Amino acid sequence: MATLILSGNPEAFATQQLQGNPDETLHAVISRTDPTLIRIDGQNIVNIYGTKGEFTSVPDGKTGSAYIKPMSDKNPISVFVTDAADQTWRLLLSVSDAPADTIVIASEKKKAPEIPFGRDMERNRAIKYMVLALRSPDLVPEIEVRTTNRVVPLWGNTLFILTATAQGQYQGDKYRLTNTSSQQMVMDERELYRKGVVAVSVERPTLNPGESSEVYVIQERGHE
């Protein structure tokens, strides 16, 4: 879960420490009148993008950080920040009359569970291991995870994109499901079961219009 930690005197320059992962939406506050400094812990920012006309961004090539300032009355605004490791961070920024500020983005520290690796791995642990590999590839170097970006037909009023695949004892697929309708959608994992599928995990079963969720499908190898 993403966390926001404010430090320093609230009347002076503060620092908002955002801890989370690229597949989460991180929340922060930016000044309406002053530039806000954004930096990523351990990485350089290579791009900041969003809806044209909502904000301006100025990179700082020496430090790898960037300054952002709102340019419209929209509140909040959505911003995507890409770093040198090809990670894209999703920010939902509330505009406030607060003074200038600094936003620091850091990956949430995760501890890899002690799960043995091998063909004789107990079935449930093997399935959990595949999901972990798709969610946090760095924690499971034994399994190769390949990124992709392919739209897969699913249901009306949804956008279903295959974002990663992995091969191990099982075949694992990671999708991003977006509710493109004007009504709330409740996802039933059983709807994604088919021949060969051994497990389905939906991070957010209930989606409001425009919201997205990561979906993990684990199946026997050789099934399409």
Side-chain angles (χ1 to χ4, degrees):
M1 178 180 293
T3 58
L4 167 62
I5 305 172
L6 297 179
S7 61
N9 187 333
E11 298 301 325
F13 292 89
T15 299
Q16 300 176 63
Q17 301 280 351
L18 306 185
Q19 293 182 341
N21 297 289
D23 56 355
E24 301 173 336
T25 298
L26 307 181
H27 300 263
V29 179
I30 62 174
S31 172
R32 188 185 309 276
T33 57
D34 301 320
T36 296
L37 175 65
I38 299 179
R39 63 184 179 89
I40 300 176
D41 188 24
Q43 294 290 343
N44 289 338
I45 294 175
V46 297
N47 193 20
I48 296 181
Y49 54 98
T51 303
K52 184 177 180 181
E54 290 186 355
F55 63 90
T56 60
S57 61
V58 179
D60 186 336
K62 293 183 178 180
T63 64
S65 56
Y67 294 88
I68 185 172
K69 184 178 179 181
M71 296 295 292
S72 70
D73 294 330
K74 184 178 179 180
N75 192 6
I77 60 176
S78 295
V79 174
F80 296 85
V81 182
T82 302
D83 63 27
D86 291 329
Q87 300 179 115
T88 299
W89 303 84
R90 297 184 293 182
L91 305 181
L92 186 62
L93 304 176
S94 297
V95 181
S96 170
D97 291 325
D101 202 352
T102 297
I103 297 172
V104 179
I105 304 171
S107 295
E108 188 175 32
K109 303 300 181 182
K110 293 185 178 181
K111 181 180 178 182
E114 297 180 359
I115 304 177
F117 181 79
R119 289 187 177 276
D120 58 348
M121 189 186 307
E122 189 268 328
R123 179 177 181 273
N124 288 339
R125 290 192 174 186
I127 293 172
K128 291 179 181 179
Y129 208 77
M130 290 300 300
V131 174
L132 177 62
L134 290 166
R135 181 179 288 125
S136 304
D138 292 342
L139 297 181
V140 191
E142 300 91 339
I143 297 179
E144 180 183 3
V145 178
R146 297 183 178 181
T147 59
T148 183
N149 186 26
R150 179 165 61 89
V151 176
V152 178
L154 189 61
W155 311 302
N157 297 320
T158 62
L159 180 62
F160 200 48
I161 300 177
L162 177 65
T163 59
T165 63
Q167 292 286 345
Q169 186 170 340
Y170 292 96
Q171 175 179 322
D173 295 320
K174 179 181 178 181
Y175 300 87
R176 178 175 294 114
L177 173 65
T178 302
N179 179 9
T180 60
S181 73
S182 59
Q183 298 180 344
Q184 186 182 79
M185 181 179 72
V186 179
M187 178 71 178
D188 188 341
E189 294 176 344
R190 293 173 297 180
E191 296 179 281
L192 290 178
Y193 275 90
R194 60 184 184 275
K195 185 177 180 180
V197 173
V198 297
V200 175
S201 176
V202 180
E203 288 194 345
R204 299 179 60 193
T206 302
L207 296 176
N208 292 319
E211 292 184 338
S212 300
S213 172
E214 305 302 328
V215 178
Y216 303 89
V217 178
I218 310 301
Q219 58 188 329
E220 301 282 355
R221 295 189 63 170
H223 286 272
E224 296 294 337

